[in-house]
Amino acid sequence: MRHNKKFNHLSRKKAHRESLLSNMTISLIMHKRIFTTLAKAKALRVYAEPLINRAKEDSMANRRLVFSYLQSKEAVKELFGDIATKIADRPGGYTRILKTGNRLGDNAKTCFIELVDYNEAMLKDKGGKAVKKTRRSRRKAAAPAAEAPAAEAPAAEAPAAE
């Protein structure tokens, strides 16, 4: 029976699939963003996020477990060093998938998968949106500017009248 076995096999045998996901996770950790198909990115997210979550607690057991999946000392060092400090306060959702359209050769859906805290363009846009004013705030900003000269004028006239 195949109860509760709903993951994407990616047209590969188990060993090939695990090797593919391990190598893609290493590339994601080292480069912070990779370009791939949508199906592989969704499978990678399921594979990589629990490993990234392990990096929050830097213990020998967690390092060994992550190394057993990745088999790359450099990737484990990067994950438990630089990446762990950036994701320490994030409760989950360490990766973001951005769709980029279809590939020319086989019309496969393609995308970027990236670590959320490393996309500088998105972080700048996020800060820009907070500064961006809405229509309502422009009206409020215009109203005090109109009131300010009116408030100064009576004060200027009052000393002249006395």
Side-chain angles (χ1 to χ4, degrees):
M1 285 187 262
R2 59 176 311 275
H3 295 302
N4 198 21
K5 295 182 180 172
K6 288 188 173 180
F7 62 92
N8 193 343
H9 294 279
L10 300 173
S11 300
R12 289 164 171 82
K13 301 283 186 182
K14 183 179 192 295
H16 188 186
R17 186 171 54 250
E18 286 179 355
S19 177
L20 170 87
L21 292 173
S22 174
N23 289 331
M24 289 179 70
T25 304
I26 292 167
S27 294
L28 180 65
I29 289 168
M30 299 308 285
H31 300 292
K32 312 301 187 260
R33 172 192 280 190
I34 57 174
F35 183 76
T36 184
T37 63
L38 186 61
K40 286 181 188 175
K42 287 180 178 180
L44 177 62
R45 180 171 51 190
V46 171
Y47 186 87
E49 289 211 2
L51 297 179
I52 296 171
N53 198 29
R54 288 262 177 195
K56 284 184 173 182
E57 182 186 343
D58 190 5
S59 67
M60 186 60 69
N62 283 345
R63 281 182 179 263
R64 286 180 174 167
L65 191 133
V66 170
F67 182 75
S68 73
Y69 280 93
L70 300 182
Q71 298 294 313
S72 170
K73 288 182 183 179
E74 294 81 19
V76 171
K77 188 183 292 186
E78 178 77 16
L79 179 62
F80 280 86
D82 186 34
I83 294 174
T85 57
K86 283 207 170 195
I87 62 154
D89 58 340
R90 182 176 287 277
Y94 309 113
T95 58
R96 175 187 298 125
I97 295 175
L98 298 168
K99 296 176 185 173
T100 58
N102 294 349
R103 195 160 49 197
L104 283 177
D106 58 356
N107 208 32
K109 294 180 181 176
T110 57
C111 63
F112 284 115
I113 183 167
E114 63 186 5
L115 296 175
V116 171
D117 294 324
Y118 284 91
N119 188 342
E120 301 300 327
M122 286 280 197
L123 294 175
K124 288 179 184 175
D125 291 343
K126 190 176 189 181
K129 288 182 183 176
V131 176
K132 185 178 177 182
K133 297 179 181 178
T134 62
R135 174 178 265 190
R136 173 170 267 160
S137 64
R138 273 190 261 143
R139 283 192 211 138
K140 286 182 182 177
E147 292 173 9
E152 292 173 8
E157 292 174 15
E162 292 175 8

